[in-house]
Coordinates of all heavy atoms in Angstrom, one line a residue:
Q68 N -2.5 35.2 14.3 CA -1.2 35.4 15.1 C -0.1 35.1 14.2 O -0.2 34.3 13.2 CB -1.2 34.5 16.3 CG -2.4 34.7 17.3 CD -2.4 36.1 17.8 OE1 -1.3 36.7 18.0 NE2 -3.6 36.7 18.1
P69 N 1.1 35.7 14.4 CA 2.3 35.4 13.6 C 2.8 34.0 13.7 O 2.7 33.4 14.8 CB 3.3 36.4 14.1 CG 2.9 36.7 15.5 CD 1.4 36.6 15.5
T70 N 3.2 33.5 12.6 CA 3.8 32.1 12.6 C 5.1 32.1 13.4 O 5.4 31.2 14.2 CB 4.0 31.6 11.2 OG1 2.8 31.5 10.5 CG2 4.7 30.2 11.2
Q71 N 5.9 33.1 13.2 CA 7.1 33.3 13.9 C 7.0 34.5 14.9 O 6.4 35.5 14.5 CB 8.3 33.6 13.0 CG 8.6 32.5 12.0 CD 9.4 31.4 12.6 OE1 9.6 31.4 13.8 NE2 9.9 30.5 11.8
T72 N 7.4 34.3 16.1 CA 7.3 35.4 17.1 C 8.6 35.9 17.5 O 9.6 35.2 17.6 CB 6.6 34.8 18.4 OG1 5.3 34.2 18.0 CG2 6.4 35.8 19.4
D73 N 8.6 37.3 17.7 CA 9.9 37.9 18.2 C 10.1 37.6 19.6 O 9.4 38.1 20.5 CB 9.7 39.4 18.0 CG 11.0 40.2 18.4 OD1 12.0 39.5 18.8 OD2 11.0 41.4 18.5
L74 N 11.0 36.6 19.9 CA 11.1 36.1 21.2 C 11.8 37.1 22.1 O 11.9 37.0 23.4 CB 11.9 34.8 21.2 CG 11.2 33.6 20.5 CD1 12.0 32.4 20.7 CD2 9.8 33.4 21.1
A75 N 12.4 38.2 21.5 CA 13.0 39.2 22.4 C 11.9 40.0 23.1 O 12.2 40.7 24.1 CB 13.9 40.1 21.5
A76 N 10.7 40.0 22.5 CA 9.6 40.8 23.1 C 8.7 40.0 23.9 O 7.8 40.5 24.5 CB 8.9 41.5 21.9
V77 N 8.9 38.7 24.0 CA 8.0 37.8 24.7 C 8.7 36.7 25.4 O 9.7 36.2 24.8 CB 6.8 37.3 23.8 CG1 7.4 36.4 22.7 CG2 5.7 36.6 24.6
Q78 N 8.2 36.2 26.6 CA 8.8 35.0 27.2 C 8.2 33.8 26.5 O 7.0 33.6 26.6 CB 8.4 35.0 28.7 CG 8.6 33.7 29.4 CD 10.0 33.3 29.5 OE1 10.8 34.1 30.0 NE2 10.4 32.1 29.1
P79 N 9.0 33.0 25.9 CA 8.5 31.8 25.2 C 7.9 30.8 26.1 O 8.4 30.7 27.3 CB 9.7 31.3 24.4 CG 10.9 31.8 25.2 CD 10.5 33.1 25.7
K80 N 6.9 30.1 25.7 CA 6.1 29.2 26.5 C 6.0 27.9 25.8 O 6.1 27.8 24.5 CB 4.8 29.7 26.9 CG 4.8 30.9 27.8 CD 3.4 31.2 28.3 CE 2.4 31.6 27.3 NZ 1.1 32.0 27.9
I81 N 5.8 26.8 26.5 CA 5.4 25.5 26.0 C 3.9 25.3 26.2 O 3.4 25.5 27.3 CB 6.2 24.4 26.7 CG1 7.7 24.5 26.3 CG2 5.7 23.0 26.2 CD1 8.6 23.4 27.0
A82 N 3.2 24.9 25.2 CA 1.8 24.6 25.3 C 1.6 23.1 25.5 O 2.1 22.3 24.6 CB 1.1 25.0 24.0
F83 N 1.0 22.7 26.6 CA 0.8 21.3 26.9 C -0.7 21.0 26.5 O -1.6 21.6 27.1 CB 1.0 21.1 28.4 CG 2.4 21.1 28.8 CD1 3.0 22.4 29.1 CD2 3.2 20.0 28.9 CE1 4.4 22.4 29.5 CE2 4.6 20.0 29.2 CZ 5.1 21.3 29.5
L84 N -0.8 20.2 25.5 CA -2.1 19.8 25.0 C -2.6 18.5 25.5 O -2.1 17.4 25.1 CB -2.0 19.8 23.4 CG -1.2 21.0 22.8 CD1 -1.2 20.7 21.3 CD2 -1.8 22.3 23.1
F85 N -3.6 18.5 26.4 CA -4.1 17.2 27.0 C -5.3 16.8 26.2 O -6.3 17.4 26.2 CB -4.4 17.4 28.4 CG -3.2 17.6 29.3 CD1 -2.6 18.8 29.5 CD2 -2.6 16.4 29.9 CE1 -1.5 18.9 30.3 CE2 -1.4 16.6 30.7 CZ -0.9 17.8 30.9
L86 N -5.2 15.6 25.6 CA -6.3 14.9 24.9 C -6.8 13.8 25.9 O -6.1 12.8 26.0 CB -5.8 14.3 23.6 CG -6.8 13.7 22.7 CD1 -7.9 14.8 22.2 CD2 -6.2 13.1 21.4
V87 N -7.9 14.1 26.6 CA -8.3 13.2 27.7 C -9.6 12.5 27.4 O -10.5 13.0 26.7 CB -8.4 14.0 29.0 CG1 -7.0 14.7 29.2 CG2 -9.5 15.0 29.0
R88 N -9.8 11.4 28.1 CA -11.1 10.7 28.0 C -12.0 11.0 29.2 O -13.2 10.6 29.2 CB -10.8 9.2 28.0 CG -10.1 8.7 26.7 CD -9.7 7.2 26.8 NE -8.8 7.0 28.0 CZ -8.5 5.8 28.4 NH1 -8.9 4.7 27.7 NH2 -7.7 5.6 29.4
G89 N -11.5 11.7 30.2 CA -12.3 12.0 31.4 C -11.4 12.7 32.4 O -10.6 13.5 32.0
P90 N -11.6 12.4 33.7 CA -10.9 13.1 34.7 C -9.4 12.9 34.6 O -8.9 12.0 33.9 CB -11.4 12.4 36.0 CG -12.8 12.0 35.6 CD -12.7 11.5 34.2
L91 N -8.6 13.7 35.3 CA -7.1 13.6 35.3 C -6.6 12.9 36.5 O -6.4 13.5 37.5 CB -6.6 15.1 35.2 CG -7.1 15.9 34.1 CD1 -6.6 17.4 34.2 CD2 -6.7 15.4 32.7
P92 N -6.4 11.6 36.3 CA -6.0 10.8 37.5 C -4.6 11.1 38.0 O -4.2 10.8 39.2 CB -6.0 9.4 37.0 CG -5.8 9.5 35.5 CD -6.5 10.8 35.1
L93 N -3.7 11.8 37.2 CA -2.4 12.1 37.6 C -2.2 13.6 37.9 O -1.1 14.1 37.8 CB -1.4 11.7 36.5 CG -1.6 10.2 36.0 CD1 -0.6 9.9 34.9 CD2 -1.4 9.2 37.1
E94 N -3.3 14.2 38.3 CA -3.3 15.7 38.5 C -2.3 16.1 39.5 O -1.6 17.1 39.3 CB -4.7 16.1 38.9 CG -4.8 17.6 39.2 CD -6.2 18.0 39.8 OE1 -7.1 17.1 39.9 OE2 -6.4 19.1 40.1
R95 N -2.1 15.4 40.6 CA -1.1 15.7 41.6 C 0.3 15.8 41.1 O 1.1 16.7 41.5 CB -1.1 14.7 42.8 CG -2.4 14.9 43.7 CD -2.3 13.8 44.7 NE -1.0 13.7 45.5 CZ -0.5 12.7 46.1 NH1 -1.2 11.5 46.0 NH2 0.6 12.7 46.7
V96 N 0.7 15.0 40.2 CA 2.0 15.0 39.6 C 2.2 16.2 38.8 O 3.2 16.9 38.9 CB 2.2 13.7 38.7 CG1 3.6 13.8 38.0 CG2 2.2 12.5 39.6
W97 N 1.2 16.5 37.9 CA 1.3 17.7 37.0 C 1.3 19.0 37.8 O 2.0 20.0 37.5 CB 0.2 17.7 36.0 CG 0.5 16.6 34.9 CD1 -0.2 15.4 34.8 CD2 1.5 16.7 33.9 NE1 0.4 14.7 33.8 CE2 1.4 15.4 33.2 CE3 2.4 17.6 33.5 CZ2 2.2 15.2 32.1 CZ3 3.3 17.3 32.4 CH2 3.1 16.1 31.7
Q98 N 0.5 19.0 38.9 CA 0.5 20.2 39.7 C 1.9 20.5 40.3 O 2.4 21.7 40.3 CB -0.5 20.0 40.9 CG -0.6 21.3 41.8 CD -1.6 21.1 42.9 OE1 -2.1 19.9 43.2 NE2 -1.9 22.1 43.6
R99 N 2.6 19.5 40.8 CA 3.9 19.7 41.3 C 4.9 20.1 40.1 O 5.8 20.9 40.3 CB 4.4 18.4 42.0 CG 3.8 18.2 43.3 CD 4.8 17.9 44.4 NE 5.9 17.0 44.1 CZ 6.2 16.0 44.9 NH1 5.4 15.6 45.9 NH2 7.2 15.2 44.6
F100 N 4.7 19.5 39.0 CA 5.6 19.7 37.8 C 5.5 21.2 37.4 O 6.5 21.8 37.1 CB 5.1 18.8 36.7 CG 5.8 19.1 35.4 CD1 7.1 18.6 35.2 CD2 5.2 19.8 34.4 CE1 7.8 18.8 33.9 CE2 5.8 20.0 33.1 CZ 7.1 19.5 32.9
F101 N 4.3 21.7 37.4 CA 4.1 23.1 36.9 C 4.4 24.2 38.0 O 4.6 25.3 37.6 CB 2.7 23.3 36.4 CG 2.4 22.6 35.1 CD1 1.4 21.7 35.0 CD2 3.1 22.9 34.0 CE1 1.1 21.0 33.8 CE2 2.9 22.3 32.7 CZ 1.9 21.3 32.7
Q102 N 4.4 23.8 39.2 CA 4.5 24.7 40.3 C 5.8 25.6 40.2 O 6.9 25.1 40.1 CB 4.5 24.0 41.7 CG 4.4 24.9 42.9 CD 4.2 24.1 44.2 OE1 4.2 22.9 44.2 NE2 4.1 24.8 45.3
G103 N 5.6 26.9 40.3 CA 6.7 27.8 40.3 C 7.2 28.2 38.9 O 8.1 29.0 38.8
H104 N 6.5 27.8 37.9 CA 6.9 28.1 36.5 C 5.8 28.8 35.7 O 5.8 28.7 34.5 CB 7.3 26.8 35.8 CG 8.4 26.0 36.4 ND1 9.7 26.4 36.3 CD2 8.4 24.9 37.3 CE1 10.5 25.6 37.0 NE2 9.7 24.7 37.6
E105 N 5.0 29.6 36.5 CA 4.0 30.3 35.8 C 4.6 31.3 34.8 O 5.6 31.9 35.0 CB 3.2 31.1 36.9 CG 2.4 30.3 37.8 CD 3.2 29.5 38.9 OE1 4.4 29.9 39.0 OE2 2.7 28.6 39.5
G106 N 3.9 31.5 33.7 CA 4.4 32.3 32.6 C 5.3 31.6 31.6 O 5.7 32.2 30.6
R107 N 5.6 30.3 31.9 CA 6.5 29.6 30.9 C 5.7 28.4 30.3 O 6.3 27.7 29.5 CB 7.7 29.1 31.7 CG 8.5 30.2 32.3 CD 9.7 29.6 33.0 NE 10.8 29.2 32.1 CZ 11.8 28.4 32.4 NH1 11.9 27.9 33.6 NH2 12.7 28.1 31.5
Y108 N 4.4 28.3 30.6 CA 3.7 27.2 30.1 C 2.2 27.6 29.9 O 1.7 28.6 30.5 CB 3.7 25.9 31.0 CG 3.0 26.1 32.3 CD1 1.6 25.9 32.4 CD2 3.7 26.5 33.4 CE1 1.0 26.1 33.6 CE2 3.0 26.7 34.6 CZ 1.7 26.5 34.7 OH 1.0 26.7 35.9
S109 N 1.5 26.9 29.0 CA 0.1 27.1 28.8 C -0.5 25.7 28.8 O 0.2 24.7 28.4 CB -0.2 27.8 27.5 OG 0.4 29.0 27.4
I110 N -1.7 25.5 29.2 CA -2.4 24.2 29.2 C -3.7 24.3 28.5 O -4.5 25.3 28.6 CB -2.7 23.8 30.7 CG1 -1.4 23.6 31.4 CG2 -3.5 22.5 30.7 CD1 -1.5 23.3 32.9
Y111 N -4.0 23.3 27.6 CA -5.2 23.2 26.9 C -5.7 21.8 27.0 O -5.0 20.8 26.8 CB -5.0 23.6 25.4 CG -4.4 25.0 25.3 CD1 -3.0 25.2 25.3 CD2 -5.2 26.1 25.1 CE1 -2.5 26.4 25.2 CE2 -4.7 27.4 25.0 CZ -3.3 27.5 25.1 OH -2.7 28.8 25.0
I112 N -7.0 21.6 27.2 CA -7.6 20.3 27.5 C -8.8 20.1 26.5 O -9.6 20.9 26.3 CB -8.1 20.2 28.9 CG1 -7.0 20.4 29.9 CG2 -8.8 18.8 29.1 CD1 -7.5 20.4 31.4
H113 N -8.7 18.9 25.8 CA -9.8 18.5 25.0 C -10.3 17.2 25.5 O -9.6 16.3 25.7 CB -9.4 18.3 23.5 CG -10.5 18.0 22.6 ND1 -11.1 16.7 22.6 CD2 -11.2 18.7 21.6 CE1 -12.0 16.6 21.7 NE2 -12.1 17.8 21.1
A114 N -11.6 17.1 25.8 CA -12.3 15.9 26.3 C -12.9 15.1 25.2 O -13.4 15.7 24.2 CB -13.3 16.3 27.4
S115 N -12.9 13.8 25.3 CA -13.4 12.9 24.3 C -14.9 12.9 24.2 O -15.5 12.4 23.2 CB -12.9 11.5 24.4 OG -13.3 10.9 25.7
T116 N -15.6 13.4 25.3 CA -17.0 13.5 25.2 C -17.4 15.0 25.4 O -16.9 15.7 26.3 CB -17.7 12.7 26.4 OG1 -17.1 13.1 27.6 CG2 -17.5 11.2 26.1
A117 N -18.2 15.5 24.5 CA -18.5 16.9 24.5 C -19.2 17.4 25.8 O -19.1 18.6 26.1 CB -19.4 17.3 23.3
D118 N -19.9 16.6 26.5 CA -20.6 17.0 27.7 C -19.7 16.9 29.0 O -20.2 17.2 30.1 CB -21.8 16.2 27.9 CG -21.6 14.7 28.1 OD1 -20.4 14.3 27.8 OD2 -22.5 14.0 28.4
F119 N -18.4 16.5 28.9 CA -17.6 16.4 30.0 C -17.1 17.8 30.4 O -16.5 18.5 29.6 CB -16.4 15.4 29.7 CG -15.4 15.4 30.9 CD1 -15.7 14.6 32.0 CD2 -14.2 16.1 30.9 CE1 -14.8 14.5 33.1 CE2 -13.3 16.0 31.9 CZ -13.6 15.2 33.0
E120 N -17.2 18.1 31.7 CA -16.7 19.4 32.2 C -15.5 19.2 33.1 O -15.7 18.7 34.3 CB -17.8 20.2 32.9 CG -19.0 20.5 32.0 CD -20.1 21.3 32.7 OE1 -19.8 22.2 33.5 OE2 -21.3 20.9 32.5
C121 N -14.4 19.5 32.6 CA -13.1 19.2 33.4 C -13.1 19.9 34.7 O -12.6 19.4 35.7 CB -11.9 19.6 32.5 SG -10.3 19.2 33.2
D122 N -13.6 21.1 34.8 CA -13.5 21.9 36.0 C -14.2 21.3 37.2 O -13.9 21.6 38.4 CB -14.1 23.3 35.8 CG -13.2 24.2 35.0 OD1 -12.1 23.7 34.6 OD2 -13.5 25.4 34.8
K123 N -15.2 20.4 36.9 CA -15.9 19.7 38.0 C -15.1 18.5 38.6 O -15.5 18.0 39.6 CB -17.2 19.2 37.5 CG -18.2 20.3 37.1 CD -19.5 19.7 36.6 CE -20.6 20.8 36.3 NZ -21.9 20.2 35.8
H124 N -14.0 18.2 37.9 CA -13.2 17.0 38.3 C -11.8 17.3 38.7 O -11.0 16.4 38.9 CB -13.3 16.0 37.2 CG -14.7 15.6 36.8 ND1 -15.3 14.5 37.4 CD2 -15.5 16.1 35.9 CE1 -16.5 14.4 36.9 NE2 -16.7 15.3 35.9
V125 N -11.4 18.6 38.8 CA -10.0 18.9 39.1 C -9.9 19.7 40.4 O -10.9 20.4 40.8 CB -9.3 19.7 38.0 CG1 -9.2 18.8 36.7 CG2 -10.0 21.0 37.7
N126 N -8.8 19.5 41.1 CA -8.6 20.3 42.4 C -7.6 21.4 42.2 O -7.5 22.3 43.0 CB -8.1 19.3 43.4 CG -9.2 18.2 43.7 OD1 -10.4 18.5 43.9 ND2 -8.8 17.0 43.8
S127 N -6.7 21.2 41.2 CA -5.6 22.2 41.0 C -6.0 23.3 40.1 O -6.7 23.1 39.1 CB -4.4 21.4 40.4 OG -3.4 22.4 40.0
S128 N -5.6 24.5 40.5 CA -6.0 25.7 39.7 C -5.3 25.7 38.3 O -5.8 26.4 37.4 CB -5.6 27.0 40.5 OG -4.2 27.0 40.7
V129 N -4.2 25.0 38.2 CA -3.5 25.0 36.9 C -4.4 24.4 35.8 O -4.2 24.7 34.6 CB -2.1 24.3 36.9 CG1 -1.2 24.9 37.9 CG2 -2.3 22.8 37.2
F130 N -5.3 23.6 36.1 CA -6.2 22.9 35.1 C -7.5 23.6 35.0 O -8.3 23.2 34.1 CB -6.3 21.4 35.4 CG -5.1 20.6 35.1 CD1 -4.4 20.1 36.2 CD2 -4.7 20.4 33.8 CE1 -3.2 19.3 36.0 CE2 -3.5 19.6 33.6 CZ -2.8 19.1 34.7
R131 N -7.9 24.5 35.9 CA -9.2 25.1 35.8 C -9.3 26.1 34.7 O -8.4 26.9 34.4 CB -9.6 25.8 37.1 CG -9.8 24.8 38.2 CD -10.7 25.4 39.3 NE -10.8 24.5 40.5 CZ -10.1 24.5 41.5 NH1 -9.2 25.5 41.7 NH2 -10.2 23.7 42.5
G132 N -10.4 26.1 34.0 CA -10.6 27.0 32.9 C -9.8 26.7 31.7 O -9.7 27.6 30.8
R133 N -9.2 25.5 31.5 CA -8.3 25.3 30.4 C -9.0 24.4 29.3 O -8.3 24.1 28.3 CB -7.0 24.6 30.9 CG -6.3 25.3 32.0 CD -6.2 26.8 31.7 NE -5.6 27.0 30.4 CZ -5.7 28.1 29.7 NH1 -6.4 29.1 30.1 NH2 -5.1 28.3 28.5
Q134 N -10.2 24.0 29.5 CA -10.8 23.1 28.5 C -11.3 23.9 27.3 O -11.9 25.0 27.5 CB -12.0 22.4 29.1 CG -12.7 21.3 28.2 CD -13.7 20.5 28.9 OE1 -13.8 20.5 30.1 NE2 -14.5 19.8 28.1
I135 N -11.0 23.4 26.1 CA -11.5 24.1 24.9 C -12.8 23.4 24.4 O -13.1 22.3 24.9 CB -10.4 24.0 23.8 CG1 -10.2 22.5 23.3 CG2 -9.0 24.5 24.3 CD1 -9.4 22.4 22.1
P136 N -13.5 24.1 23.5 CA -14.7 23.4 22.9 C -14.3 22.1 22.3 O -13.4 22.0 21.5 CB -15.1 24.4 21.8 CG -14.6 25.7 22.3 CD -13.3 25.4 22.9
S137 N -14.9 21.0 22.8 CA -14.5 19.6 22.4 C -15.5 19.0 21.5 O -16.7 19.3 21.5 CB -14.4 18.8 23.7 OG -13.4 19.4 24.6
V138 N -15.0 18.0 20.7 CA -15.9 17.2 19.9 C -15.8 15.8 20.4 O -14.7 15.3 20.8 CB -15.5 17.3 18.4 CG1 -15.7 18.7 17.9 CG2 -14.0 16.9 18.2
P139 N -16.9 15.0 20.3 CA -16.8 13.6 20.7 C -15.9 12.8 19.8 O -16.0 13.0 18.6 CB -18.3 13.2 20.6 CG -18.9 14.1 19.6 CD -18.2 15.4 19.8

Side-chain angles (χ1 to χ4, degrees):
Q68 301 300 325
T70 299
Q71 297 280 11
T72 302
D73 181 7
L74 296 185
V77 65
Q78 166 66 54
K80 296 192 293 185
I81 294 177
F83 291 84
L84 317 178
F85 287 90
L86 186 61
V87 306
R88 295 175 298 173
L91 304 174
L93 310 178
E94 179 184 356
R95 285 177 54 205
V96 174
W97 288 105
Q98 181 180 10
R99 284 233 315 236
F100 174 79
F101 289 122
Q102 187 174 1
H104 299 284
E105 293 75 14
R107 303 181 74 196
Y108 67 86
S109 302
I110 296 173
Y111 304 86
I112 300 172
H113 182 289
S115 60
T116 55
D118 59 350
F119 177 78
E120 297 181 43
C121 185
D122 285 2
K123 293 182 177 180
H124 301 273
V125 297
N126 298 311
S127 171
S128 60
V129 298
F130 287 109
R131 289 203 186 97
R133 304 315 307 159
Q134 185 172 348
I135 69 168
S137 301
V138 293

